[in-house]
Amino acid sequence: MANRVKFLFPIALLLISVAIASASDGLLRVGLKKRTLSRDSLVASRVAFNEEGTVAHAARKFGLARGYLEPEPVGPVGPGEDDAGDIIGLKNYMNAQYFGEIGIGSPAQNFTVIFDTGSSNLWIPSTKCYFSVACYFHSKYKSSQSSTYKKNGKSASIHYGTGSISGFFSEDQVTIGDLVVNDQAFIEATKEPSVTFLVAKFDGILGLGFQEISVGNATPVWYNMVSQNLIKDAVFSFWFNRNSGDGEGGEVVFGGVDKNHFKGEHTYVPVTSKGYWQFEMGDILVGGNSTGFCANGCAAIADSGTSLLAGPTSVIAEINQQIGAAGVLSQQCKAVAAQYGEMIIEKLIAKEDPAKVCSSIGVCTYDGTHGVKAGIRSVVDKATGGFSDAMCTYCELAVTWMENQISQNKTVEQIISYVDKLCERLPSPMGESAVDCDSVSSMPNVSFTIGGKTFDLTPEQYVLEVTQGGTSQCISGFIALDVPQGPLWILGDVFMGAYHTVFDYGNLRIGFAEAA
């Protein structure tokens, strides 16, 4: 999910204004309306690596989670199934981003924010932001106009691969629906130099992750909701309406769940690492057939701030190959298959440690856990006069793919041919892969195993169709992201749109049920 390159084709997105309405059941609901926006808004929904090498959403970062927890029993039902709390309506930008409205100060100054389970800070632009163009296109907080403002002044900054935001902490009351959180610390952003924030249609971010990844160790808004006894149960939940033509964009419920937006019961899995909402995920299937990549378990995150579904390049390339998605042809990847394919297969058949294969053939050096590039000059590099920084990466991808094919008893010729085809399916530099809109109905389901249950995504659910001037283009909802700290799956809005998601803070677990 690297995001240094803009999309080259336009798209109509949706900006949805908010109108608050009451309901007979006493819940706060927010009505939504729409108007068209520029395709550039999708730039703000990308994911990149930040300067420390951790994963970062283009509008916020993932901190490295710390403090592993003891596993809890996996069960289908948890507390709060029949309870609903405060309901905040969300805006739907063509199934790419979801936003809601909050107020800060007294009287409340309104801001549009991403409710983001992948970060933990609240930040919005400050009226003291003078030299960043992005600030002039968004609502700005004016502390002088709030009677409940409290000065803090501690400096803060968040760095991204595509830029950064910086400013200082302040404290004020935050209004979310009819809940008022007192003395909330938040960042007044005084610098937003990145184009990401210039084209973004949100003003700021409201993080719903754990305090372990909060910049400045600031107490997250959600923690204060719980400690100030503003909600009945320490639970919040998301429903994303994936029909962008409907009036409702979705909702986030604090203190419970809305029974109108899921079917059956939730399957719960324990949080395995506090920071973001991380859990253990099992096998991944395409068309009902196991890929074998997560059969022994993979780390995954439920992230409302990421538009697509991200995973390791090796797996995403295979999924995209099977659904017919086309990325950028990689000659270096093909060169690895041609030059080293048989050697790799021989070593894997001989049961050599897969993590050491690429170093043993001289493409990488081994650092004790995996291969790192060794500056090997490839045939392609000799033609261009440059050194390959990617050969080691492609070798490790080939090892992963070949290991999977060997387990299926494929011949050497079949394995090398298969890897060659996967090279053609590597995602573009932006991470996206296009699919044929006319072939969506014939594409296979892609399934994820969570808590011993299989959660299917149909092609209609994992393909994003965008239309401009009567012309449609379809994009695979699976995007490649390799995390230096290890394989990680990010189940973003593509997955959370199909499955109503409960974040059970009180019991440190996450629940999924079919969305309704």
Side-chain angles (χ1 to χ4, degrees):
M1 300 163 55
N3 57 348
R4 293 170 180 79
V5 185
K6 291 180 65 177
F7 279 98
L8 300 180
F9 51 92
I11 175 177
L13 295 176
L14 303 175
L15 174 62
I16 311 168
S17 60
V18 178
I20 297 177
S22 60
S24 59
D25 58 8
L27 302 177
L28 177 70
R29 284 180 168 83
V30 181
L32 306 174
K33 296 181 180 179
K34 309 180 186 72
R35 65 181 174 86
T36 57
L37 287 178
S38 167
R39 170 65 192 259
D40 285 342
S41 298
L42 267 183
V43 173
S45 70
R46 307 292 181 74
V47 174
F49 291 103
N50 71 8
E51 294 177 358
E52 285 107 15
T54 57
V55 187
H57 188 275
R60 53 96 184 105
K61 73 174 181 181
F62 291 108
L64 287 177
R66 299 183 292 273
Y68 284 86
L69 305 175
E70 291 297 322
E72 295 181 30
V74 174
V77 185
E81 286 295 305
D82 297 323
D83 297 323
D86 283 83
I87 299 178
I88 310 302
L90 300 177
K91 305 173 183 181
N92 177 0
Y93 289 171
M94 195 63 84
N95 297 339
Q97 296 178 349
Y98 294 83
F99 309 111
E101 190 172 273
I102 66 170
I104 300 179
S106 303
Q109 302 171 40
N110 293 331
F111 300 92
T112 299
V113 297
I114 294 177
F115 290 94
D116 177 25
T117 59
S119 66
S120 301
N121 289 89
L122 168 61
W123 68 263
I124 44 87
S126 173
T127 189
K128 298 179 177 64
C129 181
Y130 303 117
F131 303 111
S132 295
V133 176
C135 289
Y136 292 92
F137 288 86
H138 297 94
S139 299
K140 296 182 287 293
Y141 172 74
K142 305 174 181 66
S143 60
S144 61
Q145 296 184 8
S146 174
S147 62
T148 48
Y149 161 75
K150 293 181 180 179
K151 183 177 180 179
N152 180 305
K154 180 181 177 181
S155 62
S157 64
I158 305 177
H159 298 271
Y160 309 99
T162 53
S164 63
I165 66 105
S166 61
F168 58 90
F169 279 101
S170 292
E171 295 181 14
D172 210 331
Q173 69 178 29
V174 175
T175 303
I176 305 175
D178 60 2
L179 300 180
V180 178
V181 180
N182 294 313
D183 303 321
Q184 176 63 49
F186 63 97
I187 299 172
E188 288 192 51
T190 56
K191 293 182 180 178
E192 298 181 18
S194 172
V195 68
T196 295
F197 306 113
L198 176 63
V199 301
K201 299 306 176 181
F202 55 85
D203 299 316
I205 305 290
L206 192 154
L208 292 170
F210 291 91
Q211 190 168 1
E212 279 79 355
I213 60 171
S214 176
V215 172
N217 199 37
T219 303
V221 174
W222 168 248
Y223 280 49
N224 281 330
M225 283 187 188
V226 175
S227 65
Q228 295 176 22
N229 297 314
L230 299 178
I231 55 175
K232 178 181 178 182
D233 295 316
V235 172
F236 61 90
S237 56
F238 277 88
W239 168 67
F240 291 145
N241 186 356
R242 298 301 280 177
N243 187 346
S244 59
D246 284 353
E248 291 182 282
E251 67 181 24
V252 55
V253 180
F254 293 103
V257 298
D258 186 339
K259 294 185 295 183
N260 295 318
H261 292 308
F262 65 88
K263 301 176 182 177
E265 299 176 337
H266 289 83
T267 295
Y268 284 89
V269 289
V271 172
T272 56
S273 183
K274 288 180 70 175
Y276 25 66
W277 289 84
Q278 184 171 322
F279 59 94
E280 182 89 352
M281 184 176 73
D283 199 8
I284 299 169
L285 302 91
V286 179
N289 299 314
S290 171
T291 62
F293 287 111
C294 288
N296 296 320
C298 288
I301 294 168
D303 182 13
S304 60
T306 294
S307 301
L308 305 181
L309 197 157
T313 299
S314 58
V315 191
I316 295 299
E318 178 155 342
I319 291 175
N320 281 337
Q321 189 272 337
Q322 294 195 47
I323 68 175
V328 172
L329 178 68
S330 171
Q331 292 297 332
Q332 288 182 323
C333 180
K334 284 175 167 285
V336 168
Q339 294 174 359
Y340 304 104
E342 292 187 10
M343 295 172 60
I344 293 172
I345 293 170
E346 288 176 2
K347 290 182 178 296
L348 290 174
I349 291 176
K351 303 299 182 181
E352 183 169 331
D353 184 353
K356 298 180 179 179
V357 167
C358 292
S359 59
S360 69
I361 64 175
V363 177
C364 305
T365 58
Y366 187 67
D367 69 354
T369 59
H370 63 282
V372 294
K373 62 187 180 186
I376 302 299
R377 185 183 291 269
S378 71
V379 173
V380 175
D381 294 324
K382 290 177 181 177
T384 60
F387 282 97
S388 171
D389 287 342
M391 290 292 282
C392 177
T393 298
Y394 292 136
C395 180
E396 291 196 325
L397 289 176
V399 168
T400 301
W401 294 332
M402 290 177 177
E403 189 178 18
N404 177 264
Q405 291 294 290
I406 290 171
S407 69
Q408 299 180 35
N409 297 318
K410 301 292 185 180
T411 66
V412 172
E413 292 75 15
Q414 288 174 324
I415 293 173
I416 293 177
S417 174
Y418 179 74
V419 171
D420 192 71
K421 291 178 181 178
L422 285 186
C423 286
E424 298 180 5
R425 301 296 182 177
L426 285 173
S428 71
M430 293 180 294
E432 299 88 9
S433 294
V435 299
D436 182 1
C437 293
D438 294 332
S439 301
V440 171
S441 61
S442 62
M443 293 178 188
N445 287 354
V446 178
S447 308
F448 299 82
T449 307
I450 301 173
K453 180 178 179 180
T454 300
F455 291 81
D456 298 326
L457 289 179
T458 66
E460 291 78 14
Q461 291 171 327
Y462 65 68
V463 172
L464 179 67
E465 182 174 358
V466 296
T467 304
Q468 176 80 13
T471 301
S472 294
Q473 180 163 8
C474 291
I475 300 172
S476 167
F478 302 105
I479 192 165
L481 176 67
D482 295 309
V483 182
Q485 292 74 23
L488 179 71
W489 287 84
I490 301 176
L491 306 189
D493 301 345
V494 165
F495 187 86
M496 291 177 62
Y499 295 98
H500 182 271
T501 308
V502 175
F503 297 83
D504 188 345
Y505 175 78
N507 294 298
L508 291 175
R509 58 182 185 170
I510 307 169
F512 301 99
E514 183 181 355

